[in-house]
Amino acid sequence: PRHATETVMPACRGYAAVLLLLVVVYVGNSTCRTIGVILSPEFVTSAQEAAAQLGGTWRITTGTYDYSRIDNVTESIYALCSILASTTDLVGVIGHEWSSVSQIVAPILGAHQVPLISPSATATFLSNAATFPYFARTIPPDSYQGQAMLALLAHFKWARVGILFHDDVYSTGLANEIFTDNTVVVRYSAILHDDNNDYAEEFSALNREGIRIVLLIADSITLSKVLKRGIEAGMVGVSDQVWIVPDSVSTINLFTEEGDNAAKLRKQSLGLLGIAPNTALNSALAGDYKTVYMKDAIKALSIAASGVSGSH
């Protein structure tokens, strides 16, 4: 799976997604009892925990798929089809983590009038209610994240930057938020492909252009790879280089891994600025997040249930 099981943020987002779906059920006074989940294992576990704490006879079904390939579009569609074929009382589906998969899965469910609620798909285009009427999420779209990056640049008066971004839907969409802003001059940009494990050409170009402010926009796996190589190349963790990273940093385990690179980054994270916190170093946050989510969700459920009862 793309996310490691010990990270805090995925579990909390999984809670939020399930709770939002259950609110929808209460508001709609639905008699359906099955929740489909097409997510990595840690999300499935949090979905089961959330449903259990709220009570009721909820059934969690994950369909049939290979967890190690759930980021694969074909595998995810196969899982979805197996869920649709195995139940007649489907409330909705929790998933997918990735925007690139959600844009394909959402219309399939929409044709059956079944909601898809994602805990982490952030692509801005998914907010188009006309195209994705049955899609919802428990995380802000990338338009907000792009605004946060631009606000950070404006605060420090950094007007000339470099951008390295992965070639997936999430990364290209967020990068476009920066490219289309007229307050920032992008002096160098490069697309990071999956078959690139070196990044020497990109680092060389950044040095050649004298770029000291770099926006690294990528999924958690690519983010870890680039940061590791950047440490080795003397580009990360040094006093004259700033790296700004998106919310995917919240789920990487580079800060807790063994090895010289991880140890160096923990000691020399100078110049590494994240839009979201990395919670892998503090597992105690999990309990706090869950407490907040459950408290707010139970209150929302109570209000929603009262509203439904009062309308009859």
Side-chain angles (χ1 to χ4, degrees):
R2 289 279 181 126
H3 303 299
T5 55
E6 66 267 32
T7 56
V8 174
M9 201 65 75
C12 295
R13 289 175 181 168
Y15 259 73
V18 172
L19 299 177
L20 176 59
L21 180 54
L22 294 182
V23 168
V24 172
V25 174
Y26 271 81
V27 171
N29 200 23
S30 174
T31 58
C32 298
R33 310 304 295 173
T34 300
I35 299 173
V37 179
I38 48 171
L39 296 169
S40 300
E42 69 277 11
F43 283 102
V44 176
T45 300
S46 64
Q48 293 168 335
E49 292 175 358
Q53 289 194 42
L54 286 170
T57 56
W58 299 101
R59 186 168 75 94
I60 306 291
T61 180
T62 58
T64 304
Y65 62 86
D66 180 356
Y67 273 130
S68 67
R69 299 182 63 237
I70 193 56
D71 59 305
N72 179 279
V73 174
T74 303
E75 195 69 33
S76 299
I77 293 177
Y78 178 75
L80 178 63
C81 291
S82 68
I83 290 173
L84 290 171
S86 64
T87 179
T88 58
D89 62 346
L90 187 64
V91 173
V93 174
I94 308 299
H96 188 279
E97 289 108 311
W98 303 97
S99 298
S100 55
V101 179
S102 294
Q103 69 173 332
I104 297 173
V105 171
I108 297 174
L109 283 171
H112 295 271
Q113 297 185 324
V114 173
L116 174 70
I117 299 180
S118 172
S120 57
T122 56
T124 301
F125 66 80
L126 290 170
S127 295
N128 188 325
T131 306
F132 304 99
Y134 286 88
F135 176 81
R137 50 185 160 200
T138 56
I139 187 172
D142 286 331
S143 54
Y144 287 91
Q145 192 171 185
Q147 292 171 20
M149 286 186 164
L150 291 169
L152 185 62
L153 295 174
H155 176 78
F156 289 105
K157 296 181 172 58
W158 292 330
R160 298 177 179 273
V161 303
I163 299 180
L164 303 181
F165 63 100
H166 192 218
D167 61 358
D168 65 324
V169 170
Y170 162 75
S171 304
T172 54
L174 182 51
N176 283 334
E177 298 287 338
I178 309 300
F179 284 129
T180 56
D181 185 85
N182 58 15
T183 64
V184 177
V185 177
V186 179
R187 297 177 59 187
Y188 172 77
S189 65
I191 301 175
L192 306 175
H193 301 284
D194 287 332
D195 57 356
N196 183 0
N197 294 303
D198 181 56
Y199 311 113
E201 181 178 339
E202 290 79 6
F203 292 153
S204 177
L206 291 171
N207 277 327
R208 184 173 62 251
E209 297 294 330
I211 298 173
R212 295 293 175 259
I213 312 299
V214 183
L215 279 69
L216 173 57
I217 302 174
D219 63 89
S220 55
I221 290 180
T222 306
L223 199 69
S224 293
K225 286 164 53 179
V226 176
L227 290 176
K228 287 178 181 178
R229 294 297 296 165
I231 292 170
E232 296 170 357
M235 294 287 290
V236 175
V238 293
S239 59
D240 62 344
Q241 196 81 35
V242 175
W243 293 79
I244 300 174
V245 294
D247 64 352
S248 55
V249 73
S250 66
T251 57
I252 68 170
N253 290 327
L254 181 58
F255 299 94
T256 57
E257 289 179 354
E258 299 296 328
D260 294 339
N261 285 345
K264 184 175 180 181
L265 185 58
R266 285 195 293 271
K267 293 179 180 179
Q268 294 181 260
S269 56
L270 180 67
L272 185 62
L273 302 177
I275 299 303
N278 180 283
T279 57
L281 286 174
N282 190 352
S283 59
L285 286 175
D288 294 336
Y289 278 132
K290 288 182 180 180
T291 299
V292 171
Y293 277 133
M294 294 305 298
K295 180 180 178 181
D296 290 346
I298 290 174
K299 180 179 178 181
L301 284 169
S302 176
I303 294 173
S306 297
V308 170
S309 298
S311 65
H312 292 284

